[in-house]
Amino acid sequence: TTTAIPSFVPRTVHELEQYLLEAPNEDVLTIISRRAIHADPTTRWVPFCILPDAAIARLLCCSLLSITSPSFGPMDAHRVSQVSNKSQHRLWANLRALSLYETSLGDEGLITLLQLPSPALKALSFSNTNCSHHVADFIGRSLVGQDSPFPVPHKLLQQVSTSRHGRNGSFQSLVKVTFEDEPRLGDRGAIELMHMLQYNGTLRHLVLRRCALGTRTAAQVAQFVGISESIRTVNLNGNQIDAAAVLRLLRALGSMGNKGPLRHLHLAGQDPPLNLKSLRDLKLNGIELGLEMDIPAITAAMESADFLRRQLEAEEEAFERVQKSFDMLAQSEAALGRGFRRLAAASFIKQVHL
């Protein structure tokens, strides 16, 4: 399925290049998915790799590519690579964002796509692709030296150049990398990636959500954010980082003061979850270190406690009002009783004197 904004849909690489040149803020989206086919009984599914070159080239006439088909595997990636090569990589060169979700590509297929020249690529996203540390390592090696704030050691350059899968030196525009629900990535993949990123000055946002990361990654992040001159956001939500490791991260950030571009560090939803006491202590430590702490669990707990306090106060006020009503009623009954007694006494006296 291919859609575009506005209604014009480029059908050739020349039309795509012209369109993006005239409308640089617009994008053309291609989605490779089986969902639309499942919803249409008149359409028959066929393997992507058997499509003719012209059909694949037509799909690659886009600036945003999203692949969500579970059957899309390494052979399909090789077909994309073949068609891109025949266009002298003009098709892939226009790609600004690549999103891969629940495919069967594996490390081999993913690296096949990542090896294609991508000078315009700004965002990479992997979710439920079952990728390992090899993919993170390839991305890291490809980003080494891109606007690096430090001289790249000669030994590292040799290591990057002679590695099994090589590197893609065209990632000069990449500003965001996302790994989500990738438990095989683990500490090894995250650490390898951040070790390389210290020699990169283009990446601004790194998302590693639910990737089975622990204290080793937290230690590497503490070191990485202290020397990076480009990273603005690090998201480590949903991992396995304990309270002690979080505190070390807070201290690393606090020691930076206003130095460095980092503005947001996300650490919510760790497994096992941090209890309210740990969260409270972390918030107090963060405030002392000059950090702005946003902890919804504490906010919710405070709001719940405040709500309960207000509810209790309201109940106490209601009880006091009821008690006062009972007291007034008792006083009224007492007064009424005295009145009846006086009335009875007066009647008796009257009765005596008639």
Side-chain angles (χ1 to χ4, degrees):
T1 304
T2 305
T3 57
I5 301 175
S7 58
F8 170 71
V9 180
R11 298 181 179 277
T12 66
V13 65
H14 176 73
E15 289 181 355
L16 175 65
E17 291 170 343
Q18 190 64 29
Y19 176 74
L20 296 177
L21 182 64
E22 295 176 357
N25 295 323
E26 301 289 347
D27 281 299
V28 180
L29 169 65
T30 290
I31 302 176
I32 300 175
S33 171
R34 294 179 61 180
R35 185 174 302 174
I37 295 175
H38 283 161
D40 185 358
T42 65
T43 306
R44 186 170 64 90
W45 175 84
V46 295
F48 180 90
C49 62
I50 71 171
L51 293 174
D53 288 3
I56 295 177
R58 170 72 181 82
L59 289 172
L60 295 182
C61 283
C62 64
S63 58
L64 307 179
L65 177 58
S66 177
I67 304 176
T68 65
S69 175
S71 63
F72 198 93
M75 291 182 63
D76 303 310
H78 284 292
R79 286 288 289 127
V80 169
S81 179
Q82 290 171 358
V83 173
S84 177
N85 289 337
K86 288 182 179 180
S87 72
Q88 297 181 335
H89 298 297
R90 288 175 63 192
L91 284 167
W92 204 258
N94 294 291
L95 202 62
R96 296 171 179 170
L98 175 62
S99 175
L100 303 160
Y101 176 75
E102 289 189 347
T103 67
S104 301
L105 285 165
D107 288 350
E108 179 189 350
L110 291 172
I111 292 176
T112 296
L113 294 179
L114 292 174
Q115 287 173 329
L116 294 172
S118 313
L121 190 65
K122 294 182 178 180
L124 266 174
S125 178
F126 308 88
S127 181
N128 276 301
T129 64
N130 200 33
C131 67
S132 74
H133 66 95
H134 293 296
V135 173
D137 182 57
F138 180 85
I139 294 172
R141 283 186 277 106
S142 299
L143 288 170
V144 165
Q146 302 288 355
D147 198 20
S148 175
F150 313 109
V152 183
H154 180 69
K155 184 177 180 180
L156 180 60
L157 284 176
Q158 281 186 323
Q159 175 188 341
V160 165
S161 303
T162 58
S163 58
R164 176 185 171 188
H165 297 291
R167 65 192 294 262
N168 187 342
S170 67
F171 281 175
Q172 67 262 25
S173 301
L174 192 60
V175 296
K176 183 175 183 178
V177 172
T178 298
F179 287 93
E180 190 170 26
D181 295 302
E182 301 288 3
R184 289 187 64 218
L185 185 76
D187 283 327
R188 181 175 178 180
I191 290 171
E192 288 178 355
L193 177 59
M194 280 182 280
H195 174 67
M196 301 292 182
L197 288 180
Q198 63 184 310
Y199 299 106
N200 173 269
T202 61
L203 195 73
R204 298 181 181 180
H205 309 284
L206 179 61
V207 180
L208 301 170
R209 279 193 293 258
R210 298 184 295 278
C211 292
L213 309 180
T215 55
R216 291 175 55 210
T217 293
Q220 185 66 36
V221 171
Q223 178 182 347
F224 168 61
V225 297
I227 59 177
S228 174
E229 295 190 3
S230 64
I231 201 74
R232 296 181 182 178
T233 303
V234 176
N235 189 321
L236 300 175
N237 286 350
N239 287 291
Q240 300 163 12
I241 302 173
D242 60 24
V246 173
L247 180 58
R248 287 193 291 271
L249 272 169
L250 297 183
R251 288 172 175 165
L253 293 181
S255 66
M256 293 169 59
N258 293 325
K259 297 178 181 178
L262 186 75
R263 291 295 175 265
H264 302 281
L265 176 62
H266 301 267
L267 292 159
Q270 300 301 315
D271 184 24
L274 303 181
N275 58 41
L276 280 176
K277 181 181 181 302
S278 297
L279 292 173
R280 184 199 63 190
D281 294 343
L282 289 170
K283 182 166 186 174
L284 293 175
N285 277 284
I287 292 172
E288 289 178 0
L289 291 166
L291 304 174
E292 182 178 340
M293 303 294 292
D294 176 25
I295 307 180
I298 288 185
T299 303
M302 291 174 65
E303 289 176 351
S304 298
D306 189 55
F307 171 76
L308 292 174
R309 180 182 57 78
R310 290 197 305 268
Q311 189 177 38
L312 182 60
E313 289 176 352
E315 289 175 353
E316 289 176 347
E317 290 176 1
F319 178 78
E320 289 177 0
R321 287 195 299 270
V322 172
Q323 185 65 46
K324 287 179 181 178
S325 298
F326 277 119
D327 291 342
M328 291 176 64
L329 180 60
Q331 291 171 6
S332 298
E333 287 180 347
L336 189 61
R338 289 193 299 271
F340 275 124
R341 287 193 296 274
R342 284 196 299 269
L343 180 59
S347 298
F348 177 76
I349 292 172
K350 284 181 182 179
Q351 288 177 353
V352 169
H353 289 283
L354 280 176

